[in-house]
Amino acid sequence: MDVIATHVNADFDALGSMIAAKRLYPDAVLVFPGGQERGLRDFLLHSTLYAYGMKKISDIELSEVTRLILVDVRSAARIGKFADIVHNPNLEIHIYDHHPLDEHTIRGQLEFIQEVGATTTIITQLFIKRGIVPTADEATMMMLGLYEDTGHLLFSGTTPEDFQSAAFLLRNGANLNTVADFLVREMTSEQVDLLSELLKSCEKIVVNGVEITLATATVNDYVGDISSLVHKLQDIENLNVLIVAVRMEDQIFMVGRSRVPEMHVGELFQEFGGGGHAFAASATVRDMPLAQLLDRMERLIRQHVRSHFQASDLMSSPVKVLTSNSTVGAARELMTRFSFNAIPIVDDLQHVVGIITRQVVEKAAHHKLLKMNVSEMMNTDFQVVPSTASLLELQQGIMEHNQRCVPVVDSGTLVGVITRTDLLRYMLGDRQLSTAATKDLPGRSGMQLKRKNLRQLISTHLPGSVKEILAEFGAVADQLGMQAYLVGGFVRDLLLRQQNLDVDIVVEGDGIAFAEAFAKTTTCRVRTHEKFGTAVIVFPDGFKIDIASARLEYYDKPAALPQVEHASIRHDLYRRDFTINTLTISLNPDHFGQMLDFFGGQRDLKDKAIRVLHNLSFIEDPTRLFRAVRFEQRLGFKIGKQTERLMRSAVQLRSVKQISGLRILHELKQILDESRVVAALGRLDQFDLLTFIDAKLHFDQSTASLFVAAERASSWFDLLYTGEAYRRWLLYLFCLFDNLSNKGAAKVSRWLGMSPADHTLVLEQLPKAKMLLKRLRHRSSKLPHPQNSEIYFWFDGLAIEIILYLMACSDQENLRRWLSLYTTELRKEKIILNGDDLITLGFKPGRSFQEIFIALLKARLNQEIQTRDDEIGFVKANFQV
């Protein structure tokens, strides 16, 4: 039996989701596992939901449930008696929910989890994709759920998908009058009295700089729709965080609302058996005095409010400095190389004695004073702050003293620097977060630093062995006084819930020393690369992890290989290609799982956009042009408009011509190994990037068709399960070279720096294959049934990539049949007799041996002989001693 169920104390979103799920599971029974909210109960009394056969959980034999469809819930603590069967191994569970994980989270065989305003939205999106059209009544009930959970599409957690779903439901008959009747009601006298009491009771506490308002009340009779009263109270008083507790008889009903990221009310309310989102949550507590609850609430709030940032959170370290006897020219060079707008100046004891800005340096350059010492021009009236400085102290340093940067100094030692841009990004980000990111969605503002804890995601999506290794890395980093971070594609794919165990770790410190220290804690070996300050840790099972020191790069000239210097994690991330690859996760125990987003990577993951970090990105490293296309196609993203403009500008400047063919080959190999290779090459052609490999290289419809055929040939060979390794990228490269002359292909191969063996394939076997193809096409029409031995010697010696290329090019059934026969059977044939056997038969070693072996192989291929005795008889009959 299939059952569609939701959470106890069901609301309109629960009902709308259940009604929608009924269309996906038409034979399922709708069951409320517990009570309903007052508004929903009123609706049920006036509706025709009896037609849906709604049942109570007491009407269901739990042992007969074979599939449980949970909507608007995935916590075992909120589904009543259904929690008794969720661990039944024979039970199939499907989940549709928009709530965050908690300690009671259920895992389903099928899950549709999305951070949107309402669960109804998730199922509505499925309707849109699958072409399912709801009835007017269904659309109305679904709209009730969507409007309730999004606050009439006004809550901060509302997403574009919610608006899209509302429009779809409206087009399909949703009755907004009915929605208004049940969701937009005048307050009753009891509600007015309760709101008044809540207003009078408001008390404010400040925890870690966050103001939190607590409001309480006790009423003798039940008052419904408390959540709407909380919403009104929050708007009336303009409160960032509001927590309301109302006692009614033996129960305390709690509702929480938050507009700031520091207070996640969903996590707080989980402590009371409730739950919800970062911005909205509720809970019901029984048999506890209100005073006791408030006392516990205040203690828990202090544990759950995230601390405000301090200087150590925002600063960049280590700091690039100049000595007081450095020249203005040196300052100008350093500013240009690293895009600095201000640089601290230190004396011989490394104490900060001044700050010099780009404006001053440029004016000095204009007056031809580049050889003058910076000590003559630096600003000596400046403020420094300790690493524990508050936001207010930073504001004073930057705004009141008009400083472009504030040195962070502990015990007289310069430990970091915070720029005006750093502070502005944080402050703007804070305002954005107050309206957008309280639901832990990627931010919508610019490049402010954002933090998000992914400990739960790491716990649920990574193998246990990997989690243990990452925790050990954090412990070793702490012991060494270093900071260790997960970086790169691993973090990106973790957020996308895609499998990726290609682990890269960056440490702020000596990466090699870190790797060697880690090796002492477990069984593994370390391969070091002193030149680059990197190491590879190899575990006994072959699992590898790359370790690198945080570093920054600068380019002496466009397309040159970068110069490298040690730096902070922020600088290390800034040198990377795209924003989505700049996300990082801390591994140190105190911050384990905390993700840092300096450059808007979360935003671009949400927008499914490929964006570079700065405008000279493609000029400095033109290989990023190929990488942009590769990531766009692999992830199903879209290159941002500004990034696309910068790509076309770099192509017009012919930046690619300044990099070696070997570097292009490296990028090309990765593109040709992607699953969406046809689309990727089409995009390369749109950007005119293939012409930099060869002017005659293009990707038209004919070439695309050849690639599709090559993909089929490759898949066919994979299904043979021969265990024989081959390189798919090389097969596709032959297809790309198809419209080049033999000389042209050889020239490109040489310029790309292909290995000698691969270059030989292009130089010798590829031309031979093309000639063979022409000959066999002619042969196929005249003699469609050659002997097996002929087929064998046509293709003998050709690399498997060449064979698959021929199969892709074969437009005749006979050709494909011959290639298939050779690949699956003929190429495996071997003769039994060897040279010693021929000597035993009386033959003298010499050229005749080769002639005999070939004759034997032909006879075996043509099935004229099979056994060893057959071969001996064949030799005696056809050759004289």
Side-chain angles (χ1 to χ4, degrees), residues 29 46 49 57 73 144 264 300 323 373 383 410 430 490 516 593 624 637 681 703 736-737 768 799 828 851 859 875:
V29 178
H46 294 88
L49 280 175
I57 195 168
V73 66
L144 274 165
H264 190 303
L300 289 172
T323 59
N373 284 354
Q383 179 180 352
D410 285 339
D430 190 48
F490 179 89
E516 291 174 341
R624 290 171 178 164
F637 283 18
L681 288 171
T703 312
L736 193 60
F737 287 173
K768 178 182 176 182
K828 302 174 184 177
E851 182 183 348
V875 172

Side-chain angles (χ1 to χ4, degrees), residues 465-484:
S465 58
V466 176
K467 288 184 286 188
E468 291 175 6
I469 290 172
L470 296 182
E472 185 60 31
F473 275 127
V476 171
D478 252 18
Q479 292 169 9
L480 298 176
M482 299 180 181
Q483 296 294 318

Side-chain angles (χ1 to χ4, degrees), residues 84-133:
D84 297 339
I85 64 170
V86 293
H87 297 297
N88 184 343
N90 298 320
L91 179 67
E92 183 179 355
I93 299 177
H94 293 187
I95 298 174
Y96 301 78
D97 192 29
H98 70 139
H99 291 97
L101 296 167
D102 67 19
E103 60 182 353
H104 304 291
T105 293
I106 303 166
R107 307 307 304 191
Q109 286 83 359
L110 179 67
E111 293 185 351
F112 288 89
I113 311 298
Q114 192 175 351
E115 291 180 317
V116 291
T119 299
T120 305
T121 294
I122 297 173
I123 305 181
T124 303
Q125 292 293 308
L126 290 176
F127 277 25
I128 295 170
K129 291 177 182 177
R130 300 179 184 179
I132 299 173
V133 179

Side-chain angles (χ1 to χ4, degrees), residues 676-694:
R676 303 188 67 214
V677 62
V678 172
L681 288 171
R683 286 290 273 165
L684 290 180
D685 195 54
Q686 290 174 14
F687 284 106
D688 292 327
L689 286 170
L690 294 177
T691 59
F692 288 103
I693 300 173
D694 188 276

